[in-house]
Amino acid sequence: MSVSLIQKYNVPGPRYTSYPTVPYWEEDLFSLESWKNTLIKSFEESNHSEGISLYIHLPFCESLCTFCGCNKRITKRHEVENPYITALLKEWELYCILLPSKPLIKEIHLGGGTPTFFSPENLKTLINGIFLRAIKAPKHEFSFEGHPNNTNRTHLQTLYNLGFRRVSYGVQDYSEKVQQAINRMQPFHNVAKVTFWAKEIGYTSVGHDLIFGLPFQTLEDVIDTIDKTNSLQPDRLAFYSYAHVPWIKGNGQRGFNDNDVPKDDAKRQLYEEGKKRLAANNYHEIGMDHFALATDSMYQSFQDKKLHRNFMGYTSSKTKLMNGLGVSSISDSWYSFAQNEKTIEEYYNRIDRNELPVFRGHILTEEDLKIRKHILNLMCQFTTSWDTKESFLIEITEILGQLHEMETDGLIVIENNALTVTEKGKPFVRNICMAFDLRLKRKAPQTQLFSMTV
């Protein structure tokens, strides 16, 4: 990749797990009642045909990983598990009371934090409690995030028995120096062990999460990590850019100096070398920063143009309603977003008062919905198109004018009322999406809100 292109386009920008992005939510126009109304509307439109998704946030970790930007609570006290699960099930009950019929659940994802901080018995209590008030869809897709250091075979077997068939393990990097810098000491044999266990038990998709651009990370480190990963043959993997945002995450990302973090062309070289080695081992690039074997459902979804992206990241299928449970979780009814309280104490207080613990959100306008469609198309399929008869044509014309330079640089092709991202342009897909982001263009941030795009 051209160094000049990296320097030209490597600017702060959103990762577009939503549109509008969270900093551009119009919170003053949002209310709990408006969220409930869109929730019920979306549920009635889609529950019987496609079902709904649940994202359940399990925030506890025994130690702090300094690269992490997630909402978490660091503790070694496992007595926190029971009251948190009680609160989750109470929140789910409050939602089920609102819904006009029993939910059909197509997707569940357990995220964190560290979901495997919780004992297998407590995770079983949680999932069984969810299905006291819901129906499991015939072709459901249940997944969870596991920490290789504390995921045991009982975790895997228990969740498998409950219908889970996909697990992703946070690996990041195998270099001991890098692991020390990010406070995530995790030997290769731990990852190998839990990977083999999952395959033996029958999980159909085992994923690894890797990060490039970590402090002190070298090209040799990435090569070693990718080679070790290839030896285990996970079904899919994420190869993320490290988001260095210490101004947001505070001391958690101040365990090293800014100069210790690879930048610009040096950072991008880490990704390009990793991508080349993954391709040589039959991994296909899917969307942004994701790879999968041809046998994995994510690859099949990408081929069938059914790949979706939301606050859970990329998913193999789309539901109109994604309900977030737990502290800081974000729900998506397609027509609106709603985020839960961000501290455990306030989350518990709201649940104890029999209130949905939503503290902010955004109601999508007609313009938002149209822009969202284009950004999703670009993030999931690297292409989008428009109808010359639609009322949105004036905005599209303005957007296309601003994309002219990217077309000249060979990043995109625009013809026949369609835009396609070229192979050269794929690393810049966030920049391309930014051209469609009317809210960002109308109100440029006064401070740096986002990580760098490349």
Side-chain angles (χ1 to χ4, degrees):
M1 184 191 300
S2 165
V3 173
S4 61
L5 281 180
I6 294 175
Q7 293 172 342
K8 181 176 183 178
Y9 290 109
N10 192 22
V11 297
R15 294 190 66 85
Y16 292 110
T17 50
S18 75
Y19 183 82
T21 56
V22 175
Y24 287 90
W25 286 4
E26 293 180 321
E27 297 178 35
D28 55 331
L29 301 179
F30 175 85
S31 68
L32 186 57
E33 285 306 309
S34 63
W35 160 241
K36 291 178 181 178
N37 290 338
T38 66
L39 168 85
I40 293 169
K41 176 182 178 182
S42 181
F43 181 86
E44 290 178 328
E45 288 175 349
S46 62
N47 182 57
H48 295 297
S49 58
E50 62 185 25
I52 72 169
S53 299
L54 285 186
Y55 170 75
I56 305 176
H57 192 72
L58 302 171
F60 302 110
C61 300
E62 289 195 343
S63 62
L64 175 66
C65 302
T66 56
F67 68 88
C68 179
C70 301
N71 182 293
K72 64 269 182 185
R73 177 68 60 91
I74 309 302
T75 181
K76 294 185 183 296
R77 296 173 54 246
H78 283 263
E79 57 266 33
V80 299
E81 296 181 35
N82 286 327
Y84 190 75
I85 286 176
T86 298
L88 285 172
L89 293 176
K90 180 63 179 295
E91 182 185 2
W92 178 235
E93 178 186 3
L94 292 172
Y95 271 112
C96 290
I97 290 170
L98 285 176
L99 301 176
S101 60
K102 213 168 190 179
L104 178 71
I105 299 182
K106 183 176 183 181
E107 293 181 319
I108 294 178
H109 183 69
L110 306 181
T114 305
T116 48
F117 173 97
F118 288 74
S119 72
E121 295 77 14
N122 281 333
L123 292 175
K124 182 178 181 179
T125 298
L126 171 62
I127 301 303
N128 284 339
I130 293 291
F131 282 104
L132 287 176
R133 301 176 181 277
I135 302 167
K136 193 178 294 183
K139 294 184 178 180
H140 56 272
E141 297 183 18
F142 298 170
S143 59
F144 73 98
E145 298 166 11
H147 194 313
N149 286 356
N150 68 14
T151 300
N152 58 47
R153 190 166 184 127
T154 307
H155 277 119
L156 290 162
Q157 189 65 61
T158 299
L159 289 168
Y160 182 88
N161 294 344
L162 291 165
F164 286 73
R165 294 294 181 268
R166 187 167 72 80
V167 55
S168 59
Y169 296 118
V171 174
Q172 324 322 337
D173 186 279
Y174 287 116
S175 160
E176 188 171 323
K177 184 175 183 179
V178 173
Q179 289 184 0
Q180 287 175 340
I182 63 176
N183 196 36
R184 176 105 173 183
M185 300 307 297
Q186 182 172 271
F188 172 71
H189 67 79
N190 282 5
V191 180
K193 178 177 63 179
V194 294
T195 298
F196 291 140
W197 278 347
K199 291 184 176 185
E200 287 171 2
I201 287 169
Y203 282 79
T204 55
S205 182
V206 179
H208 287 185
D209 291 344
L210 311 177
I211 297 180
F212 68 94
L214 289 166
F216 305 111
Q217 193 179 47
T218 66
L219 183 59
E220 290 72 24
D221 294 332
V222 168
I223 290 172
D224 179 64
T225 295
I226 295 294
D227 287 349
K228 284 184 168 71
T229 300
N230 283 330
S231 74
L232 299 179
Q233 283 287 285
D235 301 280
R236 69 172 71 170
L237 54 92
F239 190 29
Y240 291 110
S241 168
Y242 164 57
H244 188 55
V245 288
W247 60 89
I248 296 176
K249 297 305 175 186
N251 292 333
Q253 289 191 0
R254 286 298 188 191
F256 39 84
N257 296 321
D258 289 353
N259 291 334
D260 299 326
V261 179
K263 297 178 179 65
D264 297 331
D265 54 318
K267 178 181 179 182
R268 193 65 200 179
Q269 185 185 15
L270 303 180
Y271 180 81
E272 295 299 331
E273 182 61 32
K275 174 182 172 180
K276 181 175 72 176
R277 288 175 176 265
L278 290 169
N281 282 268
N282 301 314
Y283 285 96
H284 301 268
E285 189 173 16
I286 309 292
M288 182 180 72
D289 301 339
H290 283 67
F291 299 82
L293 297 175
T295 52
D296 189 79
S297 62
M298 179 172 280
Y299 176 79
Q300 305 293 339
S301 180
F302 180 70
Q303 292 296 104
D304 295 339
K305 300 189 182 302
K306 293 181 179 179
L307 190 69
H308 185 54
R309 184 170 173 83
N310 55 28
F311 289 103
M312 298 191 293
Y314 283 110
T315 63
S316 298
S317 59
K318 174 188 174 233
T319 61
K320 183 171 279 190
L321 175 59
M322 185 195 77
N323 220 152
L325 303 179
V327 61
S328 80
S329 283
I330 298 178
S331 297
D332 177 2
S333 72
W334 191 254
Y335 305 108
S336 67
F337 303 122
Q339 184 172 23
N340 281 355
E341 298 286 354
K342 297 177 79 170
T343 70
I344 291 175
E345 291 75 17
E346 192 53 41
Y347 174 74
Y348 283 162
N349 287 339
R350 296 284 298 275
I351 295 295
D352 288 343
R353 297 198 299 265
N354 293 318
E355 298 174 2
L356 290 179
V358 170
F359 88 103
R360 67 172 175 176
H362 175 84
I363 305 297
L364 279 78
T365 65
E366 285 300 314
E367 179 186 273
D368 289 339
L369 290 168
K370 291 173 182 176
I371 290 289
R372 183 185 194 184
K373 179 190 73 171
H374 290 298
I375 287 179
L376 274 173
N377 289 343
L378 290 167
M379 293 296 288
C380 295
Q381 301 298 334
F382 294 119
T383 185
T384 193
S385 60
W386 50 91
D387 186 342
T388 55
K389 297 178 181 178
E390 65 179 321
S391 59
F392 196 55
L393 189 60
I394 294 175
E395 288 83 356
I396 287 290
T397 303
E398 176 188 340
I399 289 165
L400 295 181
Q402 296 179 357
L403 285 167
H404 177 70
E405 193 168 356
M406 289 187 183
E407 189 173 26
T408 301
D409 286 335
L411 308 185
I412 57 175
V413 174
I414 302 173
E415 58 184 7
N416 299 325
N417 300 321
L419 181 154
T420 301
V421 181
T422 65
E423 195 65 31
K424 182 180 178 181
K426 285 182 180 180
F428 304 99
V429 66
R430 289 166 68 183
N431 302 79
I432 297 164
C433 289
M434 286 168 67
F436 284 82
D437 190 339
L438 296 183
R439 288 184 178 270
L440 180 66
K441 287 194 285 189
R442 289 168 184 158
K443 187 180 179 183
Q446 299 302 304
T447 59
Q448 188 168 346
L449 299 175
F450 308 109
S451 62
M452 305 300 281
T453 56
V454 183

